[in-house]
Amino acid sequence: MPLFSLISSGGDQRFELPAGRTLIVGRAVECDVPVFDPTVSRHHAELTADDEGEGVRVLDLGSSNGTSINGVRVTEGWLAPNDTVAFGKISYYLRALEVTAEHRVPMAAAPAGPKGGTIVRQLAVNVDTPARVDAAAADGLLRIGSGGQERQAEKLSHLLALSNRLSGELDLDRLLITVAETTFQVLNVDRVAILLRDATSGDLVPAASRSRLGGAESLRVPQSIARKAVEERVALQTDNAAADERFTGKSVVQQSVRGAMCAPLLAEGDQVLGLLYVDNLATPGSFTEEDLQFLVAFGGIAAGGIRAARSADAAQREAATRANFERYFAPSVAADIAGRQGAIQLGGARQPLTILFSDIRGFTALAESMPPDAIAELLSAYFTEMVDVIFEHGGTLDKFIGDAIMAQWGAPISHPDDAERALQAAVAMQRAVGDINTRWAAQGRPTISIGIGINYGEVFAGNIGSHRRLEYTVIGDAVNVASRLCSAAAPGEILLADAFYRQLGKQKPAVERAEGIDIKGRAGKVTVYRMQGPRAGD
């Protein structure tokens, strides 16, 4: 027996609170008190009415935006008659009911209409269910011709029109609005709603709706009806939902739902994408088998559109991600990373990497002797060839710093021979510079030389930004050492830190001991080895 009512501040929503029963308040459609507002969590709070009629216990369920009683935020509290409670930004007040026949009748008596089990039609649905357009008398709620072949032709026309409208619409939000509006236009119903299943939680979440009543009513779908349709993958037609003992949800009674139909929206493998729901709040017994068949056909087309929109969105995200990754990786590696779910995450971690720096010797003097457009053209040609070499050897382009290049091996994908790859890349970069100079000298253009430094050590490697645009950051002492080696390298030289040299396999290159380098903050000099870069044609 209800002792209290929870009434919205605008008076458009009312929920009876049975004595001794705990009700869940939240945005999820299966909640006992559904509140569809973005400031309300899926499972926001619990309400338990006292058996003695003194008040209601309120327990916040760790909601994001909190629960307040009379303006004071609480984790647990007591709601007395005439107090106000807010879930997020949505407020209600508690009203005590007098336990009289006047108040008991609405809860005990079912609305007028058929008694007992009122599901008059139930159709199993799968992804291959064909669209049926059987001939039927014009006594249903389809807004189409009077009967016969003309009626069948008009139904086919509506289905084809919806298919055409959805075929070119790849924006999911606009597609759902189109489905809701078209359903509302074709069927003479009070409300249309589309719920989509959350991929993580499995909850049915309101996505689009239309209603003659307006306001929040358009979003409140009886969760007992929705649950049966989704769990059993059946399309349902009921003539008097409030009188059906299988639909025990209070929202059916509270909303005076009489005639209702719904059809699950299915993906390949009969996985449920969501639900297409329509109802009438005033007139029971109004839907026909033809209406249900038509809704199933409509739902099948809508599900196809949803699948296409989601596939297009996923492809667009992957293309954007791949294009962003191609700034740092070889195209084949970028495609591999983009195709891996969660291959690269925001944030970072400490890990050992091989770091390579290179820069052009005497670039400042060279730049002063050339016009800006010629310098830009020279750098573009030089960077293009250097990046190609880095990618060919499995490296990651970290950044350009003026005329310098920073690359690294070991993140986000590591290989057991990363050190050998980095050394081979350094040798190939020096060889490529020799080839560039041969071509440029023949064209009367200035020639260049580069110095390269390579180190190995633990650094912080991480990603900053979003999945559409990531910026890599590599920070640590090992990076500073590689940069200092590059600065100390003579034209055509490759300087190797001892930490990197020890990472190379048994076939170590021929080197000579170079003068050690002082690093700020270090007690001793860094041991350095020198390699001479190859000449053009080597």
Side-chain angles (χ1 to χ4, degrees), residues 5 49 82 94 195 253 287 318 434 470:
S5 285
N82 300 318
L94 187 69
L195 310 180
V253 178
F287 293 115
E318 181 174 329
L470 294 176

Side-chain angles (χ1 to χ4, degrees), residues 65 128 168 192 263 289 339 411 415 469 473:
N65 294 299
D128 297 318
V192 176
E289 181 178 0
H415 305 89
R469 183 178 177 84
T473 299

Side-chain angles (χ1 to χ4, degrees), residues 32-275:
D32 304 290
V33 181
V35 183
F36 300 119
D37 184 88
T39 65
V40 178
S41 298
R42 290 193 311 106
H43 298 131
H44 195 103
E46 288 183 353
L47 302 177
T48 307
D50 178 67
D51 290 333
E52 304 300 325
E54 295 182 2
V56 175
R57 174 179 170 270
V58 179
L59 176 66
D60 186 83
L61 297 177
S63 63
S64 299
N65 294 299
T67 302
S68 301
I69 296 177
N70 297 325
V72 178
R73 187 161 178 168
V74 299
T75 300
E76 184 174 359
W78 187 258
L79 192 65
N82 300 318
D83 282 350
T84 61
V85 59
F87 310 107
K89 294 184 179 180
I90 306 302
S91 297
Y92 297 83
Y93 70 90
L94 187 69
R95 177 185 174 186
L97 299 178
E98 295 181 15
V99 185
T100 64
E102 177 185 357
H103 292 97
R104 286 196 296 268
V105 168
M107 296 300 297
K115 304 295 183 181
T118 62
I119 294 180
V120 294
R121 291 179 184 87
Q122 177 173 306
L123 298 177
V125 179
N126 59 57
V127 73
D128 297 318
T129 297
R132 294 175 59 184
V133 289
D134 299 345
D139 56 355
L141 295 183
L142 284 171
R143 301 175 186 268
I144 56 179
S146 59
Q149 293 301 314
E150 178 184 348
R151 187 174 180 83
Q152 288 181 273
E154 192 166 347
K155 284 192 288 184
L156 282 171
S157 176
H158 279 300
L159 294 174
L160 181 60
L162 178 64
S163 180
N164 288 337
R165 290 183 68 181
L166 299 187
S167 63
E169 183 55 80
L170 298 180
D171 181 275
L172 183 58
D173 291 336
R174 289 198 297 265
L175 183 144
L176 295 176
I177 292 172
T178 297
V179 173
E181 288 179 342
T182 306
T183 308
F184 199 60
Q185 291 166 6
V186 176
L187 283 167
N188 186 19
V189 295
D190 290 334
R191 306 189 304 177
V192 176
I194 301 173
L195 310 180
L196 292 184
R197 196 168 197 175
D198 184 271
T200 302
S201 67
D203 294 334
L204 287 172
V205 180
S209 65
R210 286 293 180 270
S211 173
R212 297 185 192 282
L213 307 176
E217 287 291 331
S218 62
L219 293 177
R220 295 176 59 197
V221 174
Q223 51 104 355
S224 51
I225 296 176
R227 186 185 301 117
K228 178 176 178 61
V230 167
E231 290 178 354
E232 299 182 20
R233 287 166 176 73
V234 293
L236 300 176
Q237 176 196 339
T238 174
D239 278 354
N240 194 347
D244 193 322
E245 61 184 10
R246 287 164 292 192
F247 297 148
T248 57
K250 295 300 181 185
S251 56
V252 172
V253 178
Q254 291 163 351
Q255 297 178 68
S256 300
V257 174
R258 301 294 183 89
M261 295 193 303
C262 60
L265 307 174
L266 303 179
E268 288 81 359
D270 289 340
Q271 294 298 309
V272 177
L273 298 173
L275 188 78

